[in-house]
Amino acid sequence: MKILVIGGGGREHALVWKLRQSPRVEKLWCAPGNGGIAQDAECLPVDTKDVGAMIALAERLKPDLTVVGPEQPLVLGVADEFSRRGLAIVGPSKQAAEIEGSKVFAKGFLERHNIPTAALYGVYDSPGDAYGALCAVDWPVVVKADGLCAGKGVLVTASPDEATAFIERLMEKREFGEGGERVLMEEALEGEELSFIVLTDGQEILPLAPTRDHKRVFDGNLGPNTGGMGAYSSDELLSPELERRILESIVRPAIRGLAAEGRPYRGFLYFGLMLTAGGPKMLEFNCRMGDPEAQPMVARMDFDLAEALAATAGGSLGRINSRWKQGASVCVVMASGGYPGDFQTGKRIEGLAEASAVPWVMVFHAGTRREGANYYTSGGRVLGVTAAAPDLEAAIRTCYDAVGRIRFEGAQFRSDIAAAGLTRTRAAGD
Ligand SMILES: Nc1ncnc2c1ncn2[C@@H]1O[C@H](COP(=O)(O)OP(=O)(O)O)[C@@H](O)[C@H]1O
Ligand SMILES: [Mg+2]
């Protein structure tokens, strides 16, 4: 198989790293890729906001399969255009991707199919209506922009002033463009979050290992939200009973519902869950694999990802079985100083070889550039240092051992990734 991976972050490096191990894969491209991905795949430039450019690239390379990492090309309809031209692709159609692209659509969909989620206060098209609605909500309240806002379109707050200021930024100042044209407000749920990601061909479902992301920039879940500062995977995150409940009450109804509404879903589908005292409830859908969830996920993956993805695109996922290495895996993101605010790039990264030499460690690159034998930072999230081990404690220790060997000016990372997983053996809600 010749495979093209679209995207250029840590998630794509993780996917490429795993695909490269498959004996079925004879050629791997990644577009645009990054400095680290270039070790494992041929990187080619492409604008992932330009569907025409991605088609032109695929028509030139003629891959047997294309795998889309980020949500934006999917929401723009890249999968439809590939399918129209007979190019096999892993990723949902534009209509199916609306499950992530519009939080208003997703909310209505959850309600239509009786899938547990936070109670909705309302959907607002004008700032005036949104400000007015604040008089009638319970606090804390959750304010969500309808469209894609690069992870900055949600606020959970107990303060009416903060809610008002956020609505102003979204709807009046249009800080996130069209994404903030409409907002919804919903009940704030309490519990622990879980990323439950599956592969589906529209009918069959292959659940992937459970993971947990760490969104806030500082230790103790303090500071602003980021794209993700780390994630871990362990079977302890999810009991078999809870997994059954998630599949029966959430995953199957969602995949059936999408098909029934004429939006059959094919690809990675990410269920962002809150494990509440009243059972698992949906926070949001993502129409793709998670980043940084992909990194600890592939570290435990013990089956042929290329075969599973080909079966996803080809509608034969039923014949694939997943297998996972026992134990746990941890990914710690090393970011540029100042991220998620302003940061500098172009800092030389040292110690990569020493870190990669630690047994069971993989250093996935998110924002790096290669120049000769050296690597330089080129983004907010720079590296996803990942380790797998027989248990969570060893995975954490190994991962931070590797992190400690890497240096670049201004490097920041959380020192408590997965630490909460050690103090409880089972997730809430089971
Ligand atoms: N109803 C809710 N109750 C409590 N927290 C929420 C709720 N909805 C979202 N959140 C919090 O906000 C974060 C971001 O919201 P999410 O819906 O995942 O949007 P996005 O990932 O697009 O920014 C979630 O990971 C969660 O921590
Ligand atoms: Mg989210």
Side-chain angles (χ1 to χ4, degrees), residues 234-267:
S234 108
D235 289 331
E236 303 290 292
L237 270 171
L238 187 62
S239 68
E241 303 89 80
L242 183 56
E243 178 172 19
R244 233 181 340 265
R245 186 163 175 188
I246 291 168
L247 284 168
E248 292 314 317
S249 70
I250 297 177
V251 177
R252 287 191 218 287
I255 285 161
R256 265 201 312 268
L258 281 161
E261 294 193 9
R263 304 172 188 244
Y265 194 99
R266 202 166 263 201

Side-chain angles (χ1 to χ4, degrees), residues 103 118 142 144 151-154 156 186-190 193 215 225 274 283-284 286:
K103 287 194 183 339
V142 185
K144 295 192 174 189
K152 292 185 176 144
V154 173
V156 186
E186 68 181 23
E187 163 202 20
L189 298 174
E190 274 177 46
E193 289 181 49
K215 282 271 170 220
N225 268 329
M274 189 72 95
L283 293 175
E284 67 152 353
N286 291 137

Side-chain angles (χ1 to χ4, degrees), residues 87-111:
L87 293 160
I89 188 162
V90 178
S93 68
K94 183 175 186 169
Q95 276 211 315
E98 210 179 347
I99 204 78
E100 171 169 2
S102 168
K103 287 194 183 339
V104 172
F105 170 74
K107 201 74 195 172
F109 174 84
L110 291 168
E111 291 185 338

